[in-house]
Amino acid sequence: MINETLKINKQSWDEEAERFYGRNPLPEYGPLAPTEDDLQLFGDVRSLKMLEIGCGSGHSLKYLDQRGAGELWGLDLSSRQIKSAKELLVNSFSRVKLIESPMEQNPGIPADYFDFVFSIYAIGWTTNLDCTLKNIHHYLKSGGVFIFSWEHPMYNRIKAENGELIMDKSYHEEGSYQHIAWKQPAIMQQYKLSTYINLLIKNGFAIERVIEDASLTEEDVQRHSNRWYSYEKTKAVPAAFIIKCRKL
Ligand SMILES: C[S@@+](CC[C@H](N)C(=O)[O-])C[C@H]1O[C@@H](n2cnc3c(N)ncnc32)[C@H](O)[C@@H]1O
């Protein structure tokens, strides 16, 4: 059973998948954010069991495959994304499992199994953050690590207009919204950073790192100089945040 929001988002992702093919996967954590090369949050992944939530076209899984991960599982709402990931990972198929499912539901993923669960720019799509974090906690081994990145909650509350930055939404406001960078109906969820942190704590995670740095190298600026992720805006507020935490 999937709710109306998930139906809308699934249809939009199926239609837009091509536009996002291989966009900002690991070692990137997101546009204008520090990379895994800078942060080294994963460390040595050889032989470890990894699960990606919102795996998209599978490029982050491929990166971990190339670093010798033992098992690679990916879950995504969109059939189009799962199809692309299957094609991309065809040569590693004995070690890869790809599942079409919303992250809000457990489609039969084993409990206490994974060394790492991670999610690159997907968690803000969940229609139930509490339940998604509960699921992730359930999949991880005791001591297992959850790493995720998402657009920083300040980023879409500030608009860049005629060289000025305008705060156009209250930081206190949480809930669903239509992202202005999406032409299709696409409903994302907006939370404060403290909500992410408090729900992680509530669901049994110990937080190890919270990263709000921006990466503004010349190369980053060139690559991300579109209207939404801009150098000017990111000089003032981080485009992304990254959290590393551990199952207690
Ligand atoms: C920006 S893409 C992620 C790209 C991918 N993590 C990578 O590193 O290449 C976001 C993904 O989240 C998926 N998604 C959106 N809502 C979802 C949900 N409720 N459950 C699972 N996946 C979802 C979309 O289909 C899309 O593939």
Side-chain angles (χ1 to χ4, degrees):
M1 257 294 283
I2 70 174
N3 65 37
E4 208 43 49
T5 302
L6 289 173
K7 269 191 213 155
I8 291 169
N9 287 348
K10 181 174 165 53
Q11 187 174 349
S12 292
W13 268 107
D14 283 343
E15 282 167 28
E16 291 288 303
E18 211 169 306
R19 189 160 70 86
F20 287 89
Y21 186 81
R23 182 151 352 152
N24 305 125
L26 284 175
E28 291 182 56
Y29 279 103
L32 299 165
T35 67
E36 174 60 8
D37 298 336
D38 306 319
L39 299 171
Q40 303 287 319
L41 299 180
F42 281 88
D44 184 356
V45 297
R46 276 175 296 176
S47 307
L48 298 184
K49 292 175 181 146
M50 332 279 296
L51 164 66
E52 181 173 11
I53 303 293
C55 64
S57 50
H59 288 78
S60 292
L61 289 169
K62 190 171 172 85
Y63 167 81
L64 293 167
D65 185 30
Q66 286 162 346
R67 290 181 55 182
E71 274 183 41
L72 292 157
W73 294 53
L75 169 148
D76 202 283
L77 178 67
S78 153
S79 359
R80 187 70 197 83
Q81 293 283 57
I82 289 291
K83 185 169 177 286
S84 295
K86 279 188 178 155
E87 286 163 12
L88 185 78
L89 293 157
V90 69
N91 294 328
S92 323
F93 219 69
S94 58
R95 298 187 299 119
V96 177
K97 279 198 177 62
L98 296 164
I99 303 166
E100 184 184 322
S101 167
M103 63 179 99
E104 295 84 342
Q105 291 168 18
N106 178 356
I109 294 175
D112 305 313
Y113 188 76
F114 293 94
D115 300 288
F116 278 90
V117 176
F118 68 100
S119 184
I120 311 298
Y121 257 70
I123 207 89
W125 288 94
T126 182
T127 55
N128 189 334
L129 182 60
D130 193 14
C131 166
T132 297
L133 296 178
K134 203 171 273 121
N135 289 343
I136 291 168
H137 188 271
H138 181 71
Y139 306 146
L140 279 167
K141 289 177 181 167
S142 173
V145 171
F146 174 41
I147 297 171
F148 70 98
S149 63
W150 181 246
E151 187 171 285
H152 194 281
M154 280 302 284
Y155 209 73
N156 79 349
R157 285 152 160 109
I158 290 180
K159 228 192 322 200
E161 229 171 52
N162 307 323
E164 291 199 333
L165 297 179
I166 299 156
M167 180 106 187
D168 80 333
K169 226 190 268 178
S170 160
Y171 186 68
H172 305 292
E173 194 183 312
E174 296 191 293
S176 54
Y177 69 104
Q178 163 71 41
H179 201 297
I180 61 160
W182 274 68
K183 308 282 174 280
Q184 304 277 354
I187 301 157
M188 291 175 222
Q189 308 296 321
Q190 180 165 263
Y191 303 104
K192 297 184 280 191
L193 202 49
S194 56
T195 300
Y196 284 101
I197 290 172
N198 288 325
L199 284 177
L200 285 166
I201 294 167
K202 177 190 163 217
N203 281 294
F205 290 96
I207 292 166
E208 293 194 351
R209 270 186 87 176
V210 179
I211 294 141
E212 297 182 290
D213 301 325
S215 171
L216 293 167
T217 63
E218 206 41 55
E219 190 199 334
D220 283 324
V221 175
Q222 298 296 326
R223 279 187 66 196
H224 301 295
S225 59
N226 64 24
R227 277 180 302 147
W228 183 250
Y229 290 107
S230 77
Y231 174 76
E232 282 310 317
K233 196 166 154 184
T234 310
K235 262 200 313 187
V237 278
F241 73 100
I242 305 161
I243 294 186
K244 176 178 180 179
C245 53
R246 200 174 285 275
K247 175 172 174 170
L248 288 169

